[in-house]
Amino acid sequence: MKKLSIIIPAAFILMLSGCGNYFDSGNLQNVGMLVETSAHDEPWDKKGYKGLMAIEKQFNTDVYYKEEVKTMQEVRDAVDELVEDGVNLIFGHSAKYGKFFEEISKVYPEVHFVYYNGGQFTENVTSLNFNSHAMGFFAGMLAGEMTETNHVSVIGAFEWQPEIEGYFEGVTFQNPEAEVHLNYVNDWNGKEKAMEMYKTMRGQGADVIYPAGNAYSASIIEQASADGIYAIGYVADQSHIAEKTVLTSTVQHVEDLYTMAAENFNDGDLRGGVTTFDFQDDVISLGEFSPEVPKDVRSQIQEEVKAYKDTGLLPNERKAE
């Protein structure tokens, strides 16, 4: 595995003429990944790195990753360098890369660009989206059942996250008496602001917290453990942080989408567009349950997940029929 540093790129025309023949086969050559922060620090980013390593092992190819790539110019520089290294499949590990890839894809039609949870696409740009509404719903059901104060909370990164609406619906379905307190950091990684919101929600009596963000989820869970209340893990199974505190986790198996995209690209089957995945595709699941969750509650949630996978309908939707 190679880690690259950003350098000043060569001119576009020189790179295009120098490596145009390299991609004539159309199959997977080398693979690159761009991340906004670090590939090793937080749950979402770690899963991208894990997916990249799985591609390296499965295809015996060279893989590269570049960190702290946030602006259009930084993306251009990174893509230029990756292409010089023979990369023809590039992952952008967030929704932010969609608008960048949409533009850059015109310069590199031989390269396929993949990113997550966005709406932009071209012939060689693919967005892989998690339908996260349902995972939030089941987490909300569990929170509504386990709260003793009838106050639960969400510390979301952004208001548009479908899992937050799902969480609200799940809580109110399971426990109509419960109040859901919502706050938004407006940043996936705003630890300090998230902790301020946590303190406010604790003051409101919340005893189950859903930290639906990247960098701050672990910190919030640790504080919830210290305060003797419950939390819901996010993106990864975070039960290892505090087994009793973490009622369950809403897990997105991002690494599996990496290998799936690489396999499809290698077979010539990866198409530009927007594709959505859910529990039925086995790329979303619930994590381990806390030993604090009664067996009958655990069984209820598991049965509802199975019913959703079979029917595509959440419990409130089946009840409305």
Side-chain angles (χ1 to χ4, degrees):
M1 203 289 300
K2 301 178 182 179
K3 178 180 176 182
L4 304 179
S5 58
I6 296 177
I7 62 173
I8 299 174
F12 276 4
I13 187 66
L14 292 177
M15 286 184 296
L16 287 172
S17 62
C19 63
N21 294 332
Y22 188 85
F23 299 113
D24 286 349
S25 67
N27 296 323
L28 185 70
Q29 303 294 336
N30 297 330
V31 181
M33 179 181 75
L34 311 180
V35 296
E36 291 185 72
T37 54
S38 166
H40 304 286
D41 291 342
E42 310 302 342
W44 173 260
D45 305 308
K46 287 179 180 178
K47 281 178 169 282
Y49 180 79
K50 184 178 179 181
L52 194 65
M53 295 302 99
I55 292 173
E56 179 186 44
K57 182 177 180 180
Q58 181 174 338
F59 293 94
N60 192 29
T61 188
D62 289 334
V63 298
Y64 304 81
Y65 67 95
K66 296 181 70 62
E67 301 173 306
E68 300 291 342
V69 181
K70 300 177 182 179
T71 68
M72 182 61 170
Q73 188 57 54
E74 288 169 349
V75 172
R76 286 186 183 276
D77 292 347
V79 170
D80 291 346
E81 188 171 334
L82 289 172
V83 171
E84 285 191 315
D85 283 294
V87 170
N88 66 344
L89 178 62
I90 298 176
F91 291 89
H93 198 61
S94 80
K96 185 174 185 177
Y97 292 110
K99 59 184 178 181
F100 300 143
F101 285 173
E102 185 178 28
E103 180 66 28
I104 293 174
S105 66
K106 302 171 186 176
V107 179
Y108 290 114
E110 306 94 341
V111 177
H112 204 104
F113 299 87
V114 178
Y115 73 104
Y116 293 88
N117 296 323
Q120 294 99 343
F121 68 93
T122 67
E123 185 177 351
N124 58 323
V125 175
T126 301
S127 177
L128 304 180
N129 290 20
F130 287 97
N131 184 2
S132 53
H133 182 95
M135 75 179 195
F137 187 96
F138 295 122
M141 284 185 65
L142 185 55
E145 184 65 38
M146 294 297 293
T147 180
E148 295 180 355
T149 64
N150 278 340
H151 289 271
V152 304
S153 72
V154 173
I155 302 176
F158 297 97
E159 189 173 358
W160 53 259
Q161 291 173 254
E163 57 268 34
I164 295 175
E165 180 183 3
Y167 185 80
F168 179 87
E169 292 178 2
V171 171
T172 54
F173 173 81
Q174 189 72 12
N175 182 358
E177 301 301 317
E179 183 174 352
V180 184
H181 302 275
L182 305 174
N183 266 302
Y184 306 99
V185 179
N186 291 314
D187 184 351
W188 289 110
N189 304 304
K191 289 185 180 181
E192 184 175 339
K193 188 173 181 180
M195 192 57 68
E196 292 174 359
M197 292 176 175
Y198 171 87
K199 293 175 182 177
T200 298
M201 292 178 176
R202 285 290 290 131
Q204 296 168 335
D207 62 351
V208 184
I209 310 286
Y210 185 30
N214 188 31
Y216 58 81
S217 61
S219 299
I220 296 297
I221 290 170
E222 289 169 355
Q223 189 61 53
S225 178
D227 292 342
I229 65 171
Y230 294 125
I232 305 289
Y234 187 67
V235 172
D237 187 337
Q238 296 185 304
S239 59
H240 65 280
I241 298 173
E243 183 183 27
K244 291 185 178 181
T245 299
V246 179
L247 296 175
T248 191
S249 301
T250 54
V251 182
Q252 296 178 334
H253 301 276
V254 187
E255 63 276 20
D256 293 342
L257 293 188
Y258 269 77
T259 54
M260 181 211 71
E263 289 169 358
N264 288 342
F265 181 69
N266 194 53
D267 294 339
D269 296 328
L270 186 61
R271 301 287 181 263
V274 177
T275 306
T276 302
F277 302 88
D278 204 339
F279 278 88
Q280 293 85 350
D281 306 293
D282 294 324
V283 296
I284 294 179
S285 68
L286 296 182
E288 293 293 325
F289 285 89
S290 165
E292 299 283 297
V293 178
K295 289 184 179 179
D296 61 327
V297 175
R298 187 181 312 187
S299 296
Q300 180 197 8
I301 300 296
Q302 291 172 331
E303 289 170 4
E304 293 291 3
V305 170
K306 183 179 185 303
Y308 175 68
K309 292 177 73 172
D310 291 342
T311 67
L313 297 176
L314 289 167
N316 58 339
E317 295 169 330
R318 298 201 309 276
K319 186 177 180 180
E321 285 192 328

